[in-house]
Amino acid sequence: CRQGVIEFLLINHPLDCPICDQAGECSLQEYSVQHGNGGSRFLEQKVKKPKNVSVGPRVRLDDERCIMCSRCIRFSREVVEDDCLGFTDRGSHTVLAVNPGKELANNYSLNTVDICPVGALTSEDFRFQMRVWFLKETESICTSCGRGCNVTMGAREGKLYRMTPRENNDVNSTWMCDSGRLDFHYLNSESRLTDPMIKDGETHKATDWPEAIRRAGEGLLKYKGEQLAIVASGRMTNEEMFMVRKLAEALECKTIDIVARNGEADEFLVAADKNPNTNGAIEILKVRKPGSKLANLRRKIDDGVVKAVLVLGENLIKAGFEEATLKKLKFLCSSHILANPTAQLSDVVLPGTASEEKRGSMINVTGRLQRLNQAAQPPANAMEDWEILKELNQ
């Protein structure tokens, strides 16, 4: 019976596995090997259908490969309540199409690519980029919001190529949003900070890590108590926040806060808290209300009370600080992964690593402790934040 079903499925299915993006993870390939015939008895011409059709901004359709399983239709209609796909025509000429006046453009559209058992629906972002059997898969979590969706990250030779959802019925079931799935391309940005730098007049010059740590330590040790502030990040791991707390205790720093990020939530997975580890900051750094101290910090800098600030993984200009305010500081040290206005104003700039490039743990919006794993390699001279904090603690 299975052999007969496979034979019928392959009657009009194109045998283009060598150029199909689904090759290597195609259910039809696997079932054909297990249950199919060695050859085809079908001698007629295969039915031709639309190929390379854009059904949305992130998904492309090849109707000849579609086996009419209707998974994508049911997912769009029943899970995300966006009734945009359907079948048209009859018999061997049935095709998958977008409903008139609509497109597959919701924030969960790429889940249809995951559940498509063949190569009918492919990702505009990943298609023709890499064969899946070359990818080294790493289990981790998404850090685009506080939900912490469980994901599988696929990388080759230290470069990340895609993120796909990993099943965890307590967090994200088997789905994830498109915005989180595609939020890793900044790793290859031309703005990546690759070397530690120290300010030399109005510009910065690259230096080695021992010199950068020495300059940062000397600049911070000149000030204590109310004269010093630390702005950490809700994107840091629990382990990094623990090192921040130890550093704050050593410097007798009383002002510690993180930058709050709030946006719109949906009724499915996207959380309003855009920081992946706000609960970690509350538990470890004892931040009662994230971001509540930043307005007072700006006033203290303007009044000359705070003279030095250590910024970890944040751009203070984007967080509401004026350039004129930061220029009043006697010493500013920042760690980030991308060049930004705060780094431009810093006396010492320390290149850090992104969440996809390090290990650790985070606490999501529901209080669940989850593990973060390394899938990609950072630039050669960048250093993980916990290592930077360890050196500063010494």
Side-chain angles (χ1 to χ4, degrees), residues 43-311:
L43 302 177
E44 289 77 13
Q45 290 291 322
K46 292 179 181 288
V47 174
K48 301 301 179 184
K49 296 181 180 179
K51 298 181 71 69
N52 197 19
V53 178
S54 176
V55 292
R58 294 174 291 277
V59 180
R60 193 158 286 272
L61 168 66
D62 186 325
D63 256 315
E64 286 188 351
R65 297 173 183 164
C66 180
I67 61 169
M68 310 301 160
C69 69
S70 77
R71 289 182 182 180
C72 55
I73 297 173
R74 287 181 286 131
F75 170 81
S76 300
R77 180 183 301 157
E78 299 169 15
V79 179
V80 294
E81 298 179 353
D82 180 21
D83 191 6
C84 58
L85 297 175
F87 289 136
T88 63
D89 297 332
R90 301 178 66 183
S92 297
H93 297 278
T94 302
V95 295
L96 176 68
V98 183
N99 292 342
K102 293 188 176 182
E103 61 177 355
L104 183 60
N106 63 71
N107 196 29
Y108 296 91
S109 64
L110 286 172
N111 288 286
T112 61
V113 176
D114 298 331
I115 61 178
C116 181
V118 291
L121 294 173
T122 53
S123 166
E124 292 275 17
D125 182 69
F126 180 69
R127 62 184 314 208
F128 304 136
Q129 295 298 312
M130 183 59 59
R131 285 299 196 182
V132 295
W133 53 78
F134 290 134
L135 297 177
K136 177 183 177 181
E137 295 189 335
T138 304
E139 294 184 350
S140 189
I141 58 175
C142 174
T143 58
S144 294
C145 77
R147 178 68 58 186
C149 292
N150 287 222
V151 301
T152 300
M153 297 190 287
R156 186 187 184 194
E157 297 179 351
K159 181 181 178 181
L160 190 61
Y161 283 90
R162 72 172 181 178
M163 286 192 350
T164 53
R166 177 167 53 92
E167 183 176 3
N168 186 333
N169 289 324
D170 294 320
V171 181
N172 60 300
S173 185
T174 54
W175 321 119
M176 71 180 297
C177 68
D178 293 357
S179 53
R181 183 194 299 256
L182 300 176
D183 186 29
F184 65 88
H185 291 293
Y186 66 92
L187 298 178
N188 304 316
S189 170
E190 296 180 355
S191 302
R192 279 301 299 261
L193 294 171
T194 57
D195 295 284
M197 294 181 290
I198 56 177
K199 202 161 193 178
D200 184 16
E202 294 298 319
T203 60
H204 289 82
K205 65 176 183 180
T207 186
D208 55 21
W209 274 104
E211 175 63 14
I213 295 296
R214 185 186 67 81
R215 291 283 290 270
E218 288 178 352
L220 294 172
L221 284 172
K222 291 179 181 178
Y223 310 98
K224 287 188 177 181
E226 290 293 325
Q227 296 181 321
L228 181 65
I230 297 177
V231 180
S233 174
R235 295 168 173 168
M236 301 176 79
T237 64
N238 294 325
E239 294 74 16
E240 291 163 352
M241 290 182 181
F242 177 78
M243 299 292 285
V244 171
R245 193 179 79 184
K246 289 296 183 183
L247 179 62
E249 291 171 356
L251 295 173
E252 300 178 11
C253 176
K254 306 297 182 184
T255 304
I256 308 176
D257 204 355
I258 67 171
V259 176
R261 288 186 177 83
N262 296 303
E264 293 185 4
D266 62 18
E267 297 179 355
F268 194 26
L269 291 178
V270 177
D273 186 356
K274 302 308 176 184
N275 277 330
N277 201 21
T278 297
N279 281 333
I282 293 172
E283 291 291 330
I284 300 169
L285 297 180
K286 307 304 179 185
V287 177
R288 293 184 180 179
K289 186 178 180 182
S292 61
K293 297 180 182 179
L294 295 183
N296 192 37
L297 175 58
R298 289 195 292 268
R299 287 193 295 270
K300 287 185 176 181
I301 295 175
D302 286 327
D303 295 340
V305 177
V306 173
K307 301 181 183 298
V309 175
L310 173 62
V311 186

